[in-house]
Amino acid sequence: MIVYLVGAGPGDPGLITARGLELIRTCDVLVFDRLVARELVDEAPVGAMRIGRETLSQEEINRLLIELARAGRIVVRLKGGDPFLFGRGGEEVEALSAAGIRSEVVPGVSCLSAVPAAAGIPITHRGVSAQVTIAAGSGAGGALGLDLDALACAPGTLVLFMSLGRLDEIVDGLIARGKDPLTPAAVIASGTRAEQRTVVAALHKLPAAAVAASVVAPALVVIGDVVELADELDAAPSRSSSGNTSVMSRKPTVATMER
Ligand SMILES: C[S@@+](CC[C@H](N)C(=O)[O-])C[C@H]1O[C@@H](n2cnc3c(N)ncnc32)[C@H](O)[C@@H]1O
């Protein structure tokens, strides 16, 4: 009995691993998360059972995986990005293991670096940032999951997952704790997908800029000097500037961020 926990990558279906795609194509049950590309779900064999986890709690998912494995099914659990980065993959492995079921984890391309990259932003860059701090804005029970004191003084790049809904509170909190309000910052929504949108602004203007651009989840927040490199790198998508912020789609052009 084995369950495969497969990382689906950040959104673009072409960014799954070869091993991940092979497993999807040979499974007989595919249990997939909301952010997984539909194209990857369609890769499962015609007769395979497809179960979206829309309405299932984590506990129900754990039970389902155990039941399916015990019934002798070839189960692929397909999760957005990488299963072990804010993916609750560890919890699923623990639950399976407690039930005596083995699991194989197939890593995925995480949004962590892939989504900024798709907006032309390298999260590290020699001479600019040699340190990355990763955090999730939503914690257990709806609490703000961030240690703002630690984040405000962390050097290098901050990458914040699940933070769009509380961006105001997060940005105010960082600035109140000493973060430079002029730090370059970006919100990248639906990264690596055709509908990708990027908003670039000085940190103190980012929440208003994101609202003005009507960006919606899923989105990643990147804070740090690396954001300015988007102007220099070929991978930078096209932007339209208005005032002192800029909004980008995926096509390559350049614009300047004013402060
Ligand atoms: C539960 S976490 C999953 C992270 C995933 N395991 C990974 O490794 O990338 C979901 C969060 O990832 C980010 N995210 C997922 N897909 C994204 C995308 N295509 N563009 C921007 N952010 C994305 C958002 O912050 C979203 O709220």
Side-chain angles (χ1 to χ4, degrees), residues 10-11 35 80-82 85-87 110-112 115 160-162 188-191 218-220:
L35 291 178
D82 182 87
L85 194 91
F86 297 135
S110 176
C111 296
L112 170 64
V115 165
L160 307 181
F161 287 70
M162 296 173 269
I188 308 148
S190 297
L220 209 64

Side-chain angles (χ1 to χ4, degrees), residues 132-147:
V132 180
T133 304
I134 311 163
S138 67
L144 187 62
L146 302 171
D147 178 348

Side-chain angles (χ1 to χ4, degrees), residues 12 18 48 50 52 59 82 105 111 121 142 159 171 215 221-222 238 241 255:
D12 177 341
R50 292 162 170 77
E59 291 64 36
D82 182 87
V105 178
C111 296
I121 301 167
V159 180
V171 166
V215 289
V221 178
V222 182
S238 70
S241 291

Side-chain angles (χ1 to χ4, degrees), residues 160-205:
L160 307 181
F161 287 70
M162 296 173 269
S163 294
L164 185 62
R166 297 175 81 167
L167 194 54
D168 252 324
E169 184 183 347
I170 293 167
V171 166
D172 286 351
L174 289 173
I175 292 172
R177 288 165 177 77
K179 189 82 184 166
D180 182 354
L182 297 182
T183 308
V187 170
I188 308 148
S190 297
T192 77
R193 291 187 150 276
E195 61 272 25
Q196 175 177 313
R197 309 239 3 250
T198 306
V199 176
V200 175
L203 180 60
H204 67 120
K205 291 186 171 162

Side-chain angles (χ1 to χ4, degrees), residues 49 53 96 109 130 174 177 201 210 224 229 231 246 251 253:
M49 186 193 298
R53 74 151 288 185
L96 289 164
V109 174
L174 289 173
R177 288 165 177 77
L229 295 165
D231 289 337
S246 59
K251 291 206 201 119
T253 318

